[in-house]
Amino acid sequence: MDFIDEHLNHIKDKGLYRDFKFFTSSQSKYTSIDNRRVLLMASNNYLDLCADDRLKEAAEKAIYTYGVGSGGSRLITGSCKLHDQLEKKIADFKGAEAAIIFNTGYMANIGTITAISDQEWIIFSDELNHASIIDGCRLSGAKVVIYKHCNLDHLQEKIKIHQGKKRLIVTDGVFSMDGDIAPLDKIVELAKENKILTMVDDAHGTGVLGDNGAGSVEHFNLKGDIDIQVGTFSKALASEGGFVVGSKSLIEYLRHKARSFIYSTALSPVTIAVSLRSLDIVKNEREPRVKLLENSKWFQAKLRKLGFNVLESKTAIIALIIGNAAKARKLSEKLFEEGIFITAIRPPTVPDNTSRLRITLMSTHNRKDLKFALERLKKAGMELDVI
Ligand SMILES: Cc1ncc(COP(=O)(O)O)c(C=O)c1O
């Protein structure tokens, strides 16, 4: 078992070792980690709903009606009425015919890609797609053709070279570590011209982008133009569980073919009840979304003014690029000492030499919070020669 210690020592030397931070209160903009109060700027809880009383009430009600466990996989004993309601509601929200719920977004991606494609397929995949897409592509056995990040010329070039009847373009809607939005309008054009299926994973667009919060597909006005839309209830919707929406036949097909759907115990009715309530809130409340995106624009401009290297983002995710992994970690630690929790994201989650602070904003962050964060970022950044 020497290889284990060798690996652990290697990642420690490279500044890539990871450990947990344990929350000791519910997760909101001010939260408690190891009993220490910090300003949270690292969570995917973009609309600050994780501790919302309305969601707690929905959970409580579901417990008293349905109990806590689901008792089996969806096709055996794991489906209660709430699962059915949520599938209908998410399909409607996304403007699709039907939906299927998976236990996580990760499982939705691997289950869908492996159900759809095999060795006869060619999958065009953005180089910065999420790990769950990458793993789905690998597991499927399809020929995977990687195109440069959001680069349509490169994608077009690859499409010309790799001809075939069974082809799929797959992309994140919002890139989880960079925060930018895929050019879905152009991708759809290319896909239609070349008769290629499209799949978009909108984990970070759902609840954040679009007039109704339906995500990047709504942002581009492309409802009905994407063949397969994946998402998760675990980010802005503050719950858990992945989903796929699309045509009725696609969803029926996945119910019979997606192994990560078939062979796993269903999500608890409690989780489903929370997602149901959360969807209502997100649909009906536009203001928090507007505030969130305003926060992001304002904060990015201020960071750039201070001299930080910040990627362009029109979402809640702000990538502050450091480069060196150990330095990124050190900056994150210093900020934690100053009362701010922002995680350092390092390889293999991001490419080598692009380690970063992944700052995520919430709709409830106000200017006072953000000014406090800027002041501490400036101090820590100067101490570490980042700015
Ligand atoms: C783009 C993307 N897709 C899928 C997932 C997986 O979703 P889940 O956390 O629900 O498994 C994530 C996040 O973890 C993600 O960022």
Side-chain angles (χ1 to χ4, degrees):
M1 300 283 270
D2 286 350
F3 73 96
I4 292 179
D5 289 332
E6 275 166 24
H7 179 73
L8 291 174
N9 288 334
H10 172 75
I11 55 179
K12 277 179 190 158
D13 288 348
K14 295 255 173 206
L16 298 175
Y17 188 77
R18 302 174 184 211
D19 44 25
F20 297 113
K21 286 260 188 282
F22 292 105
F23 283 73
T24 39
S25 74
S26 62
Q27 197 169 129
S28 200
K29 77 166 176 177
Y30 280 100
T31 193
S32 170
I33 296 176
D34 294 332
N35 292 315
R36 197 194 156 124
R37 185 176 186 265
V38 289
L39 176 63
L40 181 60
M41 300 182 86
S43 171
N44 298 322
N45 177 22
Y46 304 123
L47 301 173
D48 206 352
L49 290 172
C50 279
D52 190 280
D53 283 340
R54 295 165 293 182
L55 299 191
K56 290 186 201 164
E57 270 165 28
E60 197 178 14
K61 200 166 152 216
I63 288 175
Y64 288 107
T65 311
Y66 293 98
V68 289
S70 73
S73 62
R74 283 293 304 282
L75 294 165
I76 313 285
T77 62
S79 293
C80 76
K81 200 160 173 42
L82 299 181
H83 290 85
D84 184 39
Q85 283 172 10
L86 185 59
E87 284 175 342
K88 289 189 170 120
K89 193 172 268 211
I90 188 69
D92 180 57
F93 181 60
K94 291 275 182 177
E97 278 178 15
I100 180 170
I101 299 168
F102 287 73
N103 288 353
T104 63
Y106 185 96
M107 290 166 80
N109 274 328
I110 58 166
T112 303
I113 297 172
T114 52
I116 296 286
S117 56
D118 58 21
Q119 289 84 342
E120 293 181 4
W121 279 72
I122 299 163
I123 305 180
F124 301 96
S125 175
D126 188 290
E127 67 180 333
L128 294 190
N129 274 344
H130 188 257
S132 52
I133 295 180
I134 296 171
D135 292 356
C137 290
R138 286 177 183 160
L139 272 174
S140 73
K143 181 180 178 64
V144 183
V145 178
I146 311 286
Y147 61 91
K148 288 183 193 152
H149 180 52
C150 291
N151 186 325
L152 290 154
D153 292 337
H154 198 229
L155 173 58
Q156 193 162 21
E157 212 176 281
K158 294 284 181 189
I159 288 173
K160 267 191 201 142
I161 299 172
H162 300 278
Q163 293 290 334
K165 280 202 177 114
K166 297 179 170 180
R167 295 188 294 173
L168 171 74
I169 301 174
V170 59
T171 180
D172 282 17
V174 171
F175 288 86
S176 54
M177 296 301 138
D178 285 34
D180 52 346
I181 306 171
L184 294 184
D185 48 350
K186 306 279 181 342
I187 288 177
V188 164
E189 249 177 65
L190 263 181
K192 284 192 172 163
E193 266 169 41
N194 292 280
K195 297 194 169 49
I196 304 177
L197 283 185
T198 46
M199 171 165 164
V200 174
D201 170 6
D202 211 19
H204 297 275
T206 305
V208 173
L209 295 177
D211 258 4
N212 299 296
S216 57
V217 174
E218 187 190 16
H219 171 84
F220 284 106
N221 237 328
L222 291 171
K223 275 191 181 173
D225 287 321
I226 303 283
D227 299 297
I228 307 165
Q229 288 188 60
V230 178
T232 175
F233 297 102
S234 63
K235 319 283 184 210
L237 290 158
S239 181
E240 288 166 346
F243 58 84
V244 179
V245 306
S247 68
K248 259 192 185 137
S249 53
L250 167 75
I251 300 308
E252 258 176 60
Y253 177 82
L254 292 178
R255 206 183 292 152
H256 294 89
K257 285 277 282 186
R259 294 171 67 83
S260 59
F261 170 79
I262 300 168
Y263 299 107
S264 188
T265 297
L267 285 173
S268 143
V270 185
T271 303
I272 301 294
V274 170
S275 301
L276 273 165
R277 187 73 187 95
S278 172
L279 253 187
D280 280 336
I281 295 171
V282 167
K283 252 193 334 197
N284 296 328
E285 295 182 2
R286 189 168 177 273
E287 208 176 297
R289 269 196 302 283
V290 173
K291 180 78 198 313
L292 175 66
L293 298 181
E294 261 174 33
N295 273 349
S296 179
K297 194 172 170 194
W298 187 86
F299 199 63
Q300 284 176 61
K302 295 287 178 198
L303 285 172
R304 287 195 190 99
K305 215 164 172 191
L306 286 176
F308 284 108
N309 177 10
V310 178
L311 299 185
E312 187 68 40
S313 160
K314 290 195 165 52
T315 68
I317 302 165
I318 302 173
L320 192 157
I321 305 295
I322 305 295
N324 178 276
K327 202 170 198 175
R329 184 187 163 108
K330 189 94 200 115
L331 184 56
S332 165
E333 280 167 1
K334 261 190 188 293
L335 289 167
F336 192 70
E337 281 161 25
E338 300 278 350
I340 301 170
F341 182 38
I342 304 177
T343 10
I345 306 288
R346 295 158 288 161
T349 307
V350 291
D352 283 341
N353 303 316
T354 70
S355 287
R356 64 197 63 189
L357 293 191
R358 177 180 183 263
I359 302 173
T360 51
L361 296 186
M362 289 181 179
S363 52
T364 50
H365 284 137
N366 58 31
R367 286 291 139 90
K368 190 165 159 241
D369 302 324
L370 297 182
K371 282 180 183 163
F372 167 69
L374 283 169
E375 187 194 297
R376 299 305 153 105
L377 271 156
K378 181 178 173 190
K379 179 167 174 261
M382 286 172 81
E383 279 169 15
L384 288 175
D385 268 340
V386 173
I387 49 171

